[in-house]
Amino acid sequence: MVLILLFFFLPQVTGYLDDCTCDVETIDAFNNYQLFPRLNELLESDYFRYYKVNLQKPCPFWDDNSHCGMRDCAVQPCPSDEVPDGIRSASYKYSEEANNLAEECEEAKRLGAVDDSLSKETRQAVLQWAQHDDSSDSFCEADDIHSPEAEYVDLLLNPERYTGYKGPDAWKIWNSIYEENCFKPQNVKRPLASGRGDDGGQTFYKWLKGVCVEKRAFYRLISGLHASINIHLSARYLLQDTWSEKKWGPNITEFQQRFDEVLTRGEGPRRLKNLYFLYLIELRALSKVLPFFERPTFQLYTGNKSQDAEMKHLLLEILHLAKSFPLHFDENSFFAGNKKEAAKLKEEFRLHFKNISKIMDCVGCFKCRLWGKLQTQGLGTALKILFSENLIEKIPESGPSYGFQLTRQEIVALFNAFGRVSTSVKELENFRNILQNMR
Ligand SMILES: *[C@@H]1O[C@H](CO)[C@@H](O)[C@H](O)[C@H]1NC(C)=O
Ligand SMILES: *[C@@H]1O[C@H](CO)[C@@H](O)[C@H](O)[C@H]1NC(C)=O
Ligand SMILES: *[C@@H]1O[C@H](CO)[C@@H](O)[C@H](O)[C@H]1NC(C)=O
């Protein structure tokens, strides 16, 4: 076994990344030693560990043959008395604020009484936003959290890990995401596609290079998400399964099959680059959303005052840290080109992404469905932030934020999704060390 492994190559991702002048080594050091430990602490807090989800929605696209009977796929919902009152009660403070806001916005629209001191552009934006309710502007098909089928799940008790859900069913999910929802024309085959037309990805990469930077970004984000999920499954593999003991840990073979440069004909390192790209995009969203969380009226409300204050402090520390990371994207190249173009792109992105979030209802394993929904909602929230940069910059320090809102669900998803990607970057280091020691 060890002998065979000697011939494997380390998936080489080093140096600069495409579409960004940042290098992998800087990201590793920043994430693994500064951001990851703080983020982990935050995600263990009550505010962030409970996520409400409806796992019973039927798949809108095809008949799913559910694997939900598989033991490791089960999700344990929380008895509702375990969820802190502040989160459970429909009238918790934050949502009250949000409701008032919605009403105020309606009122403002009705009277046409948007503050005159705002620029024409902002007024326009405020009015537009008031017309869209939260759901119409979101990038995901959000679960109706008031549905009787929606339940709170304790994310700490239901970790994302290997479930045995793979093969044709899992493949079908990713395939429909890539094939029908990533702007890709049908005649362009993805690399490693089976059958005719597989030219080692040449046509594909030529196509990818030719599309605008945002559409290329969209594909890379999906690929990064796919890579991240696969890293978790390889890192939390069910290694031993006897009646007395279950052991989860890294499975190098599984990792190699997905990321080794030779075994994947060069795709592995590209996938890992896309993972870093996803990391940077979500990091950028965090750095941009700071004004929203910095407002004194914003609370991470659970009902425990001292804990809420402590966690808000930690949250802001993380956001400032994110802001301090030198992200050398070209400010004008992403999501911010020509105004008309940008609006059109935003809408296209939103529709594609919304569809991807619906596909998550087709994932035939509850555990994977839970984490799939959470991570797509998190990425969708990051995109919503990036497309709302101008609105966020105009959020007043005190008083309500008219133009831009996030629900608790979106906030929980945003940070947990980023936590997953941050964990992947950290686990990658672990795999690199294991592989190095095997040489
Ligand atoms: C949404 O995804 C499904 C399943 O992959 C696909 O059949 C459908 O064409 C997609 N719709 C849009 C609008 O992209
Ligand atoms: C690791 O994963 C491979 C599949 O990639 C599997 O065949 C093997 O049994 C796993 N090893 C352990 C120790 O579970
Ligand atoms: C509130 O949170 C703190 C920790 O931040 C904890 O020590 C305390 O017991 C909590 N209070 C209640 C009433 O749960």
Side-chain angles (χ1 to χ4, degrees):
M1 191 64 183
V2 170
L3 265 181
I4 297 169
L5 285 172
L6 281 177
F7 295 104
F8 285 138
F9 291 89
L10 274 177
Q12 285 299 334
V13 244
T14 52
Y16 287 97
L17 295 162
D18 313 332
D19 291 331
C20 165
T21 53
C22 337
D23 65 280
V24 165
E25 293 75 11
T26 313
I27 301 172
D28 283 345
F30 168 75
N31 179 69
N32 299 354
Y33 301 100
Q34 295 190 58
L35 198 135
F36 176 80
R38 291 178 172 89
L39 188 57
N40 244 4
E41 189 189 338
L42 183 75
L43 296 180
E44 283 173 8
S45 73
D46 282 351
Y47 187 88
F48 286 98
R49 67 190 284 189
Y50 298 106
Y51 180 62
K52 200 168 188 185
V53 65
N54 182 356
L55 297 173
Q56 310 294 341
K57 277 208 222 160
C59 169
F61 302 116
W62 58 78
D63 288 336
D64 53 342
N65 30 0
S66 178
H67 289 248
C68 295
M70 280 164 62
R71 190 190 36 172
D72 295 319
C73 279
V75 167
Q76 196 63 49
C78 290
S80 64
D81 60 352
E82 267 178 29
V83 179
D85 284 345
I87 292 177
R88 200 154 32 95
S89 93
S91 61
Y92 64 91
K93 217 167 176 162
Y94 174 64
S95 97
E96 227 168 65
E97 189 201 353
N99 285 341
N100 289 344
L101 260 177
E103 277 165 27
E104 278 177 52
C105 276
E106 275 303 310
E107 186 76 352
K109 191 179 71 180
R110 198 170 56 81
L111 301 174
V114 182
D115 186 346
D116 279 328
S117 63
L118 300 177
S119 71
K120 195 168 157 228
E121 209 179 302
T122 320
R123 242 181 305 161
Q124 202 62 34
V126 170
L127 288 177
Q128 270 173 9
W129 271 83
Q131 286 161 9
H132 287 257
D133 63 359
D134 238 349
S135 65
S136 73
D137 218 85
S138 91
F139 279 71
C140 288
E141 188 72 17
D143 284 350
D144 173 14
I145 58 166
H146 302 297
S147 148
E149 285 181 332
E151 288 184 286
Y152 278 106
V153 171
D154 182 341
L155 297 170
L156 298 181
L157 296 184
N158 294 279
E160 185 184 29
R161 62 188 176 195
Y162 183 77
T163 59
Y165 176 68
K166 57 181 185 181
D169 292 326
W171 183 84
K172 188 172 174 183
I173 299 283
W174 284 110
N175 197 49
S176 63
I177 290 177
Y178 284 116
E179 285 298 321
E180 286 153 61
N181 297 285
C182 279
F183 300 101
K184 190 181 74 57
Q186 260 189 348
N187 60 344
V188 175
K189 294 271 174 285
R190 274 185 295 133
L192 303 183
S194 54
R196 280 180 302 151
D198 181 12
D199 53 4
Q202 267 183 43
T203 328
F204 177 79
Y205 286 109
K206 211 168 134 208
W207 164 77
L208 192 64
K209 228 174 129 189
V211 295
C212 69
V213 66
E214 286 87 355
K215 289 185 183 174
R216 186 160 65 232
F218 191 96
Y219 167 81
R220 299 186 64 198
L221 291 174
I222 298 298
S223 168
L225 186 61
H226 193 183
S228 178
I229 290 174
N230 281 339
I231 290 175
H232 298 139
L233 305 188
S234 312
R236 303 263 181 288
Y237 199 92
L238 182 54
L239 295 175
Q240 195 186 328
D241 187 13
T242 61
W243 64 272
S244 61
E245 194 188 14
K246 269 190 171 199
K247 219 176 111 206
W248 307 84
N251 180 329
I252 286 287
T253 318
E254 181 79 13
F255 178 79
Q256 295 277 18
Q257 279 177 4
R258 297 176 189 277
F259 297 106
D260 179 78
E261 185 159 9
V262 175
L263 287 179
T264 62
R265 288 196 272 151
E267 283 303 300
R270 286 202 189 93
R271 290 173 186 156
L272 295 177
K273 273 193 171 179
N274 293 340
L275 166 77
Y276 281 98
F277 182 72
L278 172 66
Y279 182 91
L280 290 173
I281 288 285
E282 292 195 355
L283 187 69
R284 177 177 158 120
L286 291 189
S287 72
K288 295 285 176 186
V289 79
L290 180 61
F292 175 80
F293 289 105
E294 242 175 355
R295 290 168 309 139
T297 48
F298 178 82
Q299 293 187 43
L300 292 172
Y301 190 74
T302 64
N304 180 333
K305 253 195 168 132
S306 63
Q307 195 183 48
D308 292 354
E310 204 181 310
M311 285 306 133
K312 180 168 176 184
H313 185 79
L314 181 58
L315 176 91
L316 292 182
E317 193 185 322
I318 289 169
L319 294 182
H320 279 287
L321 192 59
K323 208 173 169 183
S324 75
F325 186 76
L327 277 167
H328 302 300
F329 283 113
D330 176 358
E331 282 290 328
N332 293 319
S333 70
F334 279 109
F335 313 114
N338 170 317
K339 266 226 159 68
K340 220 169 126 205
E341 274 298 294
K344 194 167 144 247
L345 256 175
K346 176 183 174 181
E347 193 52 19
E348 279 189 70
F349 253 59
R350 204 174 64 76
L351 292 178
H352 275 89
F353 207 79
K354 223 170 174 154
N355 207 25
I356 290 179
S357 81
K358 280 194 220 160
I359 294 178
M360 290 301 140
D361 286 320
C362 302
V363 174
C365 158
F366 281 149
K367 181 77 75 61
C368 316
R369 191 180 290 188
L370 164 67
W371 286 99
K373 274 170 173 272
L374 182 130
Q375 289 174 92
T376 41
Q377 191 180 21
L379 177 53
T381 305
L383 292 174
K384 171 173 158 176
I385 292 168
L386 293 175
F387 276 115
S388 312
E389 271 183 35
N390 295 335
L391 289 174
I392 297 172
E393 275 164 19
K394 286 171 187 147
I395 293 180
E397 250 178 65
S398 59
S401 144
Y402 283 113
F404 180 82
Q405 276 301 331
L406 293 177
T407 63
R408 176 178 174 274
Q409 287 283 105
E410 285 176 315
I411 295 168
V412 171
L414 175 68
F415 284 89
N416 271 290
F418 186 59
R420 297 281 73 210
V421 189
S422 171
T423 306
S424 291
V425 169
K426 174 95 172 111
E427 272 161 358
L428 214 45
E429 181 182 54
N430 190 30
F431 275 119
R432 280 201 199 98
N433 290 340
I434 297 175
L435 285 163
Q436 216 117 45
N437 290 336
M438 279 162 52
R439 300 199 141 195

